[in-house]
Amino acid sequence: MRVTDPPSHFRRRFFLGLLAACLFLALASGAAARGRCGSHPWCDTHLSPDARANLLLGALTEDEKIGLLGGDDFNGGVSGGPHAHTGTSDGVPRVDLPTTYYSDGPLGPRQGQATALPAPMGLAATFRPTLAFSAGSVVANEAKFKGNDVVFAPTVNIMRNPLGGRSFEAYGEDPFVDAQMAVQWIRGAQSQGVIADVKHFAANNQEGADPTGHGGAPGAPLGAGPFGSRYIVNDVVDERTLREIYLPHFEAAVKQAHVGTVMCAYNQVNGAFSCENRHLLQQILEHEWGFKGYVIADYGAAHNTINNLNNGLDFEAWPPWSYRPQEIQLALLSGQASQATLDGHVRRILRTLFAYGFFDRASYRDDDAQIPKRAHARAVRRIEESGITLLRNRHLLPLRRRRLKSIAVIGSPATKFVTGGGSGNVSPFSYASPLAAIRRAAGRKVNVSYDDGADPATAAAHAKASSVAIVFAADYETEGADRQCLTLECPNAYGDQDSLIQSVAAANPRTVVVLETGAPVLTPWRNRVGALLEAWYPGEQGGPALARVLFGKVDPGGRLPVTFPQNEGDTPTAGDQAKYPGIGVNVYYKEGVLVGYRWYDARRIKPAYPFGFGLSYTRFRYSHLRVRANTVTFTVRNVGRRTGRTVAELYVSIPSPGFGVVEPPRQLKGFAAVKLRRGRSTRVRLRLDARSLSYWDVAHSRWAIPRGCFLISVGRSSRDLPLHAVVARGGARCGDRD
Ligand code: BGC
């Protein structure tokens, strides 16, 4: 059949029809957007968010304002059904102020099923902030398509103590890495039209120790152990340590990423609960950093209506306890809180909603069908591949299919979706186990057997009869309870994994251990195994990502964002109850700024694997360091046989500004993940700003650069720094290395 052009009058009608349809759609969506705000004076998008917030505020009754300070919908909230939002705040229908919906969290929305991301600890291990942007985009996109306006993430608390139950939820022990990741995560999330909520402000570093042994067991109810419970603990921490270690990532989230909301934490800081802590919320967050968004209380973290109102808490999500209407009314009537204070809180909430476009768009629909699941799966696989960290390799990896007859996969985590508990727990849309992925990658000619490892002797026999053994071992971390020790048996969720690894490695030295842990664990068998990979909690694409790393399709991109100690007693908070879990409610941050590798370096303790460490399948040479003004440049060359990744790390040793002011031996102040083909080199350029050379000057309450000689070191990890230069500041003379 010959296809002829349609007659011109038909074409004209067709195009006019199309135009009319487009116009209708445009008007309809415009109407939807306008309809959401209505046709009130505050709906004029030419006005500033402040002006719009003031206009709407002026139209609200006192009861309506009070209602906006507390969440609603007890059953739709966190206690609701499997697809419930984590929180809701009914708006004010009278003035067309819509309901706001809230959802957890840092590994994906906790609302039905979702794409389960690798744990943030694994994301931090990529040392690639662009991947944090991607992670934030994926999580927020799904939160949006589940009908939410705000996502309770990222978690950015520093890992002060590797026992911490929420270590997996955040970015490790270094504030610089933390800040870089948090900023991009928030930018990614907010690029989706969802408001991020950086948490938990501040120094929320322990859940509580539970000597009964039940804490932290999978499925155990949330609720901190009795000692050092997160709900009551009082962190006694000096100002300099706060500023240098526990706050920089929050500061970056506010100043660089313009995060819309901040979640104040359960714990007390220096005698005041975080959600009523004037120093934190008003002096630092609002006045010093210029935060214009609103502060949300963690669930059950607001205790005292008057203090919450007067010291900077804007919204209590669920269930409003401190911000029950009658409590607020009482505070106003008794004159213990003023109208201006009430207005201030409402204004901040409204201003944020205006500033982030909440009124000027249609409401988000809760419908999983909108989620681009395959694209998200690809994105999270890429993140996981880049976060898997190779800690040891005795010429065993990557595996070469042609040289293998059989692989014994051992340990039940090889067949399970391994992750942590609490509000970071996500039910994945789909999941391919490492065992299935290894079978696929090995191909038909390699026999892949599986043993759950329940009996170490049987597993060892299996390993002996195979060309290679791959043992999977995991831990379980959760919000609500700290781990009681750092071995793989704490809590005993997967049996005696240390004995299993010892037996298998004794039977076959060609044993690869794959750890799926949220944070550091003890590795007493490390020198007896052929290879060791840390996959963290790898998310729903962990299986395929691991298989690609094991078989060398990709180079393991990860580097440690935390120190792996040799012994539990080596950690910064070990051996002193005052430091952890505390005496009474008080936990004394006696280690000061010596957190993480800063502690190990200062005390000259050799870790099992240092901060920043991770191997590649190729080798890199670092050379030609040059420091000019604020710019540090150096050359990185791939001198191995294949394409690979290195993370170039820059550390600064700040001279002590005065007697008694302890400076860590070195601090990370720059990094760059570099991918190079074999034989190729590149010149890496990193910037050192004034803050990189500064300490917190307590006497003057400001950042200051001390006079003296600063050592700049560059290399592959905190303990492998081949390049050095010295720079002088404040007129110091630093000899010929200057
Ligand atoms: C957690 C928060 C979380 C909230 C809502 C709290 O227990 O500390 O991180 O966002 O629950 O699920």
Side-chain angles (χ1 to χ4, degrees):
M1 196 175 82
R2 212 176 133 229
V3 181
T4 50
D5 282 342
S8 64
H9 69 273
F10 180 84
R11 270 188 322 215
R12 209 176 313 126
R13 277 223 310 268
F14 174 78
F15 283 117
L16 280 175
L18 194 69
L19 201 68
C22 291
L23 214 63
F24 173 77
L25 280 177
L27 284 175
S29 62
R34 263 206 312 278
R36 187 171 151 96
C37 187
S39 48
H40 308 282
W42 54 86
C43 297
D44 180 352
T45 52
H46 296 102
L47 298 176
S48 71
D50 289 283
R52 295 177 73 183
N54 276 331
L55 286 170
L56 175 49
L57 181 69
L60 296 176
T61 66
E62 185 176 296
D63 283 350
E64 287 166 345
K65 291 180 201 169
I66 290 174
L68 288 176
L69 264 48
D72 297 282
D73 198 2
F74 190 83
N75 292 319
V78 76
S79 69
H83 213 269
H85 301 274
T86 315
T88 59
S89 170
D90 293 348
V92 182
R94 187 183 66 79
V95 292
D96 299 317
L97 168 49
T99 300
T100 317
Y101 294 95
Y102 296 83
S103 174
D104 280 316
L107 284 82
R110 196 164 58 108
Q111 191 181 339
Q113 290 176 312
T115 299
L117 275 87
M121 186 68 89
L123 175 59
T126 68
F127 278 75
R128 289 171 67 189
T130 49
L131 294 179
F133 185 94
S134 154
S137 309
V138 168
V139 173
N141 180 272
E142 298 198 3
K144 170 166 80 179
F145 288 147
K146 288 170 182 287
N148 299 288
D149 307 290
V150 181
V151 62
F152 290 147
T155 304
V156 301
N157 297 111
I158 288 286
M159 192 193 78
R160 172 174 181 250
N161 172 358
L163 296 173
R166 299 187 87 162
S167 301
F168 73 100
E169 257 188 64
Y171 301 123
E173 68 189 25
D174 180 72
F176 185 78
V177 174
D178 197 342
Q180 304 297 308
M181 292 295 163
V183 164
Q184 292 305 330
W185 200 101
I186 293 163
R187 285 185 180 154
Q190 296 194 156
S191 75
Q192 295 293 321
V194 169
I195 299 172
D197 180 46
V198 68
K199 65 187 190 183
H200 309 83
F201 190 64
N204 182 195
N205 301 320
Q206 67 185 60
E207 300 298 288
D210 180 358
T212 62
H214 298 303
L222 289 190
F227 294 99
S229 159
R230 64 173 175 170
Y231 296 118
I232 51 172
V233 83
N234 176 37
D235 298 339
V236 182
V237 47
D238 67 88
E239 188 65 20
R240 177 176 166 227
T241 300
L242 260 184
R243 301 291 187 147
E244 292 193 16
I245 304 291
Y246 297 107
L247 296 186
H249 28 286
F250 286 105
E251 183 178 0
V254 170
K255 289 186 180 168
Q256 293 172 39
H258 308 293
V259 70
T261 69
V262 171
M263 184 182 281
C264 51
Y266 287 123
N267 54 286
Q268 308 180 56
V269 177
N270 295 323
F273 278 106
S274 299
C275 296
E276 53 187 79
N277 195 309
R278 190 185 286 260
H279 181 54
L280 287 176
L281 298 180
Q282 291 190 336
Q283 193 172 325
I284 297 180
L285 182 64
E286 189 183 336
H287 296 133
E288 287 185 28
W289 299 347
F291 177 61
K292 283 183 174 306
Y294 61 100
V295 174
I296 303 175
D298 199 348
Y299 282 42
H303 307 285
N304 182 314
T305 312
I306 314 283
N307 291 347
N308 291 141
L309 281 170
N310 290 329
N311 296 346
L313 173 66
D314 298 305
F315 178 63
E316 188 186 15
W318 177 96
W321 178 255
S322 176
Y323 278 180
R324 275 173 299 164
Q326 57 274 39
E327 297 294 329
I328 300 178
Q329 274 149 5
L330 207 64
L332 293 173
L333 276 174
S334 63
Q336 288 170 291
S338 69
Q339 271 295 336
T341 300
L342 171 67
D343 284 0
H345 293 305
V346 178
R347 188 181 292 113
R348 293 179 80 89
I349 297 171
L350 297 179
R351 189 206 169 274
T352 309
L353 296 179
F354 280 116
Y356 290 81
F358 171 85
F359 286 89
D360 307 321
R361 57 165 169 81
S363 59
Y364 294 144
R365 243 176 343 111
D366 180 3
D367 178 3
D368 284 2
Q370 304 169 94
I371 295 172
K373 294 183 190 140
R374 285 168 69 163
H376 285 182
R378 274 197 302 277
V380 305
R381 195 195 72 197
R382 209 170 306 128
I383 295 171
E384 175 56 16
E385 287 171 5
S386 310
I388 292 174
T389 311
L390 179 62
L391 296 175
R392 177 179 169 87
N393 191 12
R394 295 283 135 153
H395 312 293
L396 185 48
L397 295 179
L399 300 174
R400 294 196 173 79
R401 298 206 286 194
R402 283 199 209 103
R403 299 203 196 145
L404 293 177
K405 284 211 172 70
S406 54
I407 303 175
V409 175
I410 296 167
S412 64
T415 62
K416 294 195 171 112
F417 173 62
V418 174
T419 190
S423 49
N425 184 276
V426 171
S427 308
F429 277 134
S430 65
Y431 175 61
S433 72
L435 176 61
I438 289 169
R439 285 209 161 111
R440 203 165 309 124
R444 280 207 217 110
K445 292 190 184 141
V446 182
N447 176 38
V448 178
S449 63
Y450 169 67
D451 182 305
D452 68 5
D455 175 16
T458 319
H462 238 112
K464 195 163 191 167
S466 306
S467 327
V468 166
I470 309 179
V471 186
F472 282 81
D475 74 351
Y476 181 74
E477 290 178 18
T478 182
E479 171 183 343
D482 290 336
R483 300 178 60 207
Q484 288 157 64
C485 72
L486 279 185
T487 73
L488 283 167
E489 288 69 53
C490 246
N492 196 345
Y494 299 95
D496 186 352
Q497 301 177 98
D498 284 317
S499 300
L500 176 67
I501 296 169
Q502 311 261 21
S503 310
V504 171
N508 186 346
R510 289 171 60 78
T511 290
V512 182
V513 173
V514 177
L515 292 175
E516 293 181 67
T517 67
V521 289
L522 298 183
T523 50
W525 31 257
R526 63 188 169 280
N527 293 331
R528 278 177 244 146
V529 301
L532 172 58
L533 278 171
E534 173 59 88
W536 315 103
Y537 294 153
E540 67 172 45
Q541 290 297 311
L546 263 164
R548 281 165 58 83
V549 168
L550 285 165
F551 286 89
K553 284 264 186 293
V554 285
D555 203 37
R559 301 296 181 267
L560 292 180
V562 282
T563 305
F564 272 50
Q566 294 201 61
N567 308 296
E568 185 143 355
D570 295 344
T571 65
T573 53
D576 184 348
Q577 198 189 331
K579 281 179 167 179
Y580 178 82
I583 297 175
V585 295
N586 293 328
V587 171
Y588 299 89
Y589 281 44
K590 291 182 186 173
E591 72 286 358
V593 295
L594 299 181
V595 172
Y597 62 91
R598 291 161 167 82
W599 168 265
Y600 295 84
D601 290 347
R603 294 283 184 275
R604 298 179 196 277
I605 300 170
K606 189 171 181 284
Y609 297 108
F611 175 86
F613 175 75
L615 299 167
S616 154
Y617 291 150
T618 183
R619 285 177 300 114
F620 293 90
R621 185 176 304 140
Y622 286 65
S623 63
H624 300 97
L625 175 65
R626 216 177 89 144
V627 184
R628 287 285 176 281
N630 295 335
T631 309
V632 178
T633 41
F634 50 93
T635 302
V636 178
R637 178 180 293 277
N638 181 342
V639 292
R641 298 214 194 104
R642 44 174 292 158
T643 300
R645 287 185 182 283
T646 184
V647 173
E649 300 168 30
L650 184 161
Y651 294 82
V652 177
S653 307
I654 300 177
S656 173
F659 184 72
V661 184
V662 175
E663 275 298 339
R666 65 190 69 89
Q667 309 190 56
L668 187 77
K669 297 294 177 184
F671 60 82
V674 179
K675 183 177 175 187
L676 283 175
R677 296 224 197 107
R678 70 176 195 175
R680 293 287 172 88
S681 68
T682 188
R683 202 83 186 129
V684 178
R685 181 185 304 267
L686 295 172
R687 247 181 63 80
L688 276 180
D689 57 12
R691 177 66 77 83
S692 324
L693 306 178
S694 303
Y695 72 104
W696 181 258
D697 177 352
V698 180
H700 299 97
S701 246
R702 58 159 197 221
W703 294 98
I705 301 179
R707 178 179 189 276
C709 306
F710 294 70
L711 181 66
I712 311 292
S713 313
V714 171
R716 303 169 192 86
S717 88
S718 59
R719 293 283 174 112
D720 181 4
L721 296 165
L723 308 182
H724 299 284
V726 175
V727 296
R729 286 291 183 273
R733 297 176 65 85
C734 301
D736 54 8
R737 290 174 91 185
D738 182 8

